[in-house]
Amino acid sequence: ASMEPPSGYVMDAMSFKMEGIPEDDEVSIYVFPVENNYIDFYEMSLIAGSNFSQHSPDMQIEEYILNETALIHLGFSDPEEAIGRQFKLNFTIDSLFKGGTIKGVVKDFNLSPLFEKIKPLVLFQKSIWYSTILIKVDSMNKMESLQLVKTAWDELYPEYLFDYSFDDDLYRAAYRNEIQQSKLSKYLTILAVFIA
């Protein structure tokens, strides 16, 4: 589960407090709530520290994972320097974040389309912000898998419409303009060669 689907845009940012970093309300970091298995699901590489623990609402401390760009943003040259430092996001409802520690650093990844610059990002677990559920299915049994998921969804959440999309469709939509420009460029090149 995550806040945004793949190929989405990370738009939310918050100020924060971090051990060893002077507090400045002007300095913010982009936030991306994810379930504890998100990094494994997408086979991302941790370059320091470890992945999230299994989350439960009664956990007394929170765990945060930074991306490489966040390290640079925070002034660290060695990812190990950030591990174990106290960290807390500032939010209008102060009790929403208890604060905790930096658990790991993940290699930069493109959540948004490739033409978007990678942003300094912190991953954390906060189930109230999960609006996307990600499921891997066997491409050979896509429709059967989809029907099983829909049946389970309708049983668990009968009051909510089952709405889905496939990753490849999301990425195709994200790059629609580039695909159209590429086709147009190809046709114009053929036309130019023909005229020459």
Side-chain angles (χ1 to χ4, degrees):
S2 66
M3 183 170 71
E4 297 288 341
S7 79
Y9 291 84
V10 176
M11 303 296 287
D12 298 314
M14 294 182 192
S15 62
F16 60 90
K17 296 175 188 163
M18 184 174 181
E19 178 187 347
I21 304 291
E23 194 171 338
D24 183 352
D25 286 339
E26 298 299 311
V27 177
S28 61
I29 191 166
Y30 287 88
V31 296
F32 192 58
V34 298
E35 185 58 83
N36 66 297
N37 61 353
Y38 188 86
I39 289 171
D40 291 337
F41 185 87
Y42 278 107
E43 299 174 8
M44 297 175 184
S45 300
L46 283 164
I47 58 173
S50 57
N51 201 350
F52 294 115
S53 305
Q54 183 69 37
H55 183 262
S56 68
D58 59 344
M59 286 176 76
Q60 292 306 303
I61 62 163
E62 294 164 332
E63 298 174 338
Y64 299 92
I65 294 180
L66 301 172
N67 70 350
E68 290 174 294
T69 299
L71 281 181
I72 296 163
H73 179 68
L74 296 170
F76 293 107
S77 56
D78 179 3
E80 293 291 343
E81 291 178 47
I83 304 302
R85 289 192 187 234
Q86 297 297 308
F87 187 91
K88 183 179 187 290
L89 290 166
N90 298 325
F91 192 64
T92 49
I93 303 168
D94 194 49
S95 61
L96 187 62
F97 290 100
K98 301 171 187 173
T101 59
I102 302 295
K103 183 86 185 278
V105 178
V106 69
K107 190 170 180 55
D108 274 348
F109 60 95
N110 288 89
L111 177 70
S112 300
L114 293 174
F115 50 77
E116 284 283 316
K117 187 176 176 186
I118 294 176
K119 297 173 179 169
L121 188 68
V122 61
L123 307 174
F124 58 94
Q125 299 176 85
K126 193 63 72 178
S127 60
I128 61 169
W129 284 330
Y130 299 158
S131 59
T132 302
I133 297 172
L134 309 157
I135 300 171
K136 284 186 182 178
V137 297
D138 182 346
S139 60
M140 301 301 290
N141 299 307
K142 202 183 315 190
M143 297 321 289
E144 294 90 336
S145 300
L146 193 57
Q147 188 54 53
L148 284 171
V149 172
K150 183 183 182 329
T151 301
W153 180 272
D154 290 343
E155 187 177 313
L156 293 168
Y157 308 107
E159 66 277 14
Y160 295 105
L161 177 68
F162 177 65
D163 186 25
Y164 71 93
S165 55
F166 292 103
D167 271 5
D168 50 358
D169 295 332
L170 293 172
Y171 284 109
R172 197 174 297 111
Y175 292 106
R176 182 176 291 123
N177 289 341
E178 286 73 17
I179 292 167
Q180 288 174 344
Q181 287 174 355
S182 173
K183 286 178 182 176
L184 181 61
S185 176
K186 182 174 76 174
Y187 295 138
L188 290 175
T189 302
I190 292 168
L191 181 61
V193 169
F194 179 73
I195 291 171

